[in-house]
């Protein structure tokens, strides 16, 4: 899978693309990450990529031409399938686990990283989807692009090794993950739940499933409506709610 990132700050990606799981996936050729400086497509001597907003007001707005030219060049650059173009923006649809999983089947994704006050509205027409990574405003689209690329990459076969696998993690089947413990068994009087040291794998699996339901109810109750629960688990939820 290939990611192309259009940004005014290509250096932003140097570390994240080299380190840890993503770095290993890049080194093994499972994913490819290319960063491009939008300025390289800015016409004129000054290579301007932003301008003052029509109608006045504070801040600068990213110009449409450099981004349109960059997209044209990148789309024609290879014979691979047409890329999916994503615009990170606080006004986009909330980016979720399900979208990350779905996007992992694409051959190519292009992210357009905004800066300043944001984009000329006509840039929205060049994108296939607009996503937000949360209800807050960051200084640029680089962190959202990185966050989305990371989340998508985890679903690309071979990126996660077996021990890191996405099995039973938060949001798979609509539930949060169960609590984890490692050595020591007793830390300042806080003991590891007895079931986890019982060696009884059936009991451990049941406990973990129940913990996922309890956690979700406590922390993100709105997820339970769409979670994949058995009738017995639905009854457990009702009991926990005191119904
Ligand atoms: C300072 S922000 C612009 C915010 C814009 N003026 C607004 O109020 O919606 C600059 C860029 O950062 C990116 N960005 C900031 N917060 C984001 C978020 N929560 N999710 C996705 N992208 C975000 C977008 O690319 C945006 O164009």
């Amino acid at each position: 899978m290939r990611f192309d990132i259009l940004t005014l700050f290509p250096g932003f990606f140097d570390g994240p693309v080299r380190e840890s799981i993503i770095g290993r996936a890049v080194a093994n050729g499972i994913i490819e990450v290319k960063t491009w400086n939008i300025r390289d497509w800015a016409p004129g001597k000054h290579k301007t990529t932003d301008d003052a907003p029509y109608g006045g007001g504070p801040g600068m707005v990213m110009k449409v031409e450099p981004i349109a030219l960059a997209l044209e060049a990148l789309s024609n650059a290879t014979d691979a399938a047409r890329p999916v173009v994503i615009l990170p923006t606080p006004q986009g649809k909330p980016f979720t686990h399900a979208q990350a999983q779905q996007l992992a089947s694409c051959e190519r994704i292009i992210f357009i990283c905004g800066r300043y006050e944001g984009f000329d509205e006509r840039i929205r027409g060049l994108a296939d989807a607009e996503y937000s990574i949360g209800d807050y405003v960051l200084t640029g689209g680089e962190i959202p692009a990185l966050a989305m690329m990371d989340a998508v990459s985890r679903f690309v076969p071979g990126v996660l090794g077996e021990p890191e696998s996405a099995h039973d993690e938060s949001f798979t089947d609509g539930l949060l993950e169960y609590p984890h413990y490692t050595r020591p068994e007793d830390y300042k009087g806080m003991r590891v739940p007895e079931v986890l040291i019982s060696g009884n794998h059936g009991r451990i699996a049941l406990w973990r499933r129940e913990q996922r339901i309890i956690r979700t109810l406590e922390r993100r109750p709105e997820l339970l409506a769409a979670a994949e629960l058995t009738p017995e688990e639905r009854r457990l939820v009702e009991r926990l709610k005191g119904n």
Side-chain angles (χ1 to χ4, degrees), residues 60 62 87-93 95 112-119 124 130-145 148:
M60 299 296 270
M62 291 186 70
L87 197 65
T89 154
Q91 302 171 20
K93 262 197 287 188
F95 188 72
I112 308 172
C113 303
R115 279 271 154 182
Y116 318 120
E117 273 309 306
F119 305 102
R124 295 189 192 281
E130 297 182 30
Y131 289 119
S132 163
I133 64 158
D135 288 348
Y136 41 79
V137 178
L138 297 161
T139 53
E142 286 76 11
I143 289 172
M148 289 188 253

Side-chain angles (χ1 to χ4, degrees), residues 94-173:
F95 188 72
T96 63
H97 181 89
Q99 270 129 16
Q101 194 162 19
Q102 199 186 331
L103 286 167
S105 59
C106 299
E107 273 181 45
R108 273 184 82 189
I109 295 179
I110 299 180
F111 290 106
I112 308 172
C113 303
R115 279 271 154 182
Y116 318 120
E117 273 309 306
F119 305 102
D120 180 307
E121 192 64 16
R122 290 163 290 191
I123 293 172
R124 295 189 192 281
L126 305 174
D128 297 302
E130 297 182 30
Y131 289 119
S132 163
I133 64 158
D135 288 348
Y136 41 79
V137 178
L138 297 161
T139 53
E142 286 76 11
I143 289 172
L146 268 175
M148 289 188 253
M149 184 175 73
D150 191 292
V152 171
S153 297
R154 298 179 85 250
F155 290 110
V156 174
V159 168
L160 294 185
E162 190 47 44
E164 298 146 352
S165 106
H167 184 65
D168 267 2
E169 272 190 327
S170 295
F171 308 112
T172 48
D173 61 23

Side-chain angles (χ1 to χ4, degrees), residues 4 26 39 54-56 61 69 127 156-157 164 166 176 212 216 233:
D4 291 281
V26 170
R39 208 171 292 289
Y54 277 116
V61 174
L69 287 171
V156 174
E164 298 146 352
L176 301 182
R212 295 187 71 200
T216 310
E233 288 170 341

Side-chain angles (χ1 to χ4, degrees), residues 188-202:
K188 298 187 176 177
M190 291 179 277
R191 295 191 58 79
V192 172
E194 184 276 329
V195 60
L196 295 180
I197 39 184
S198 67
N200 182 330
H201 295 293

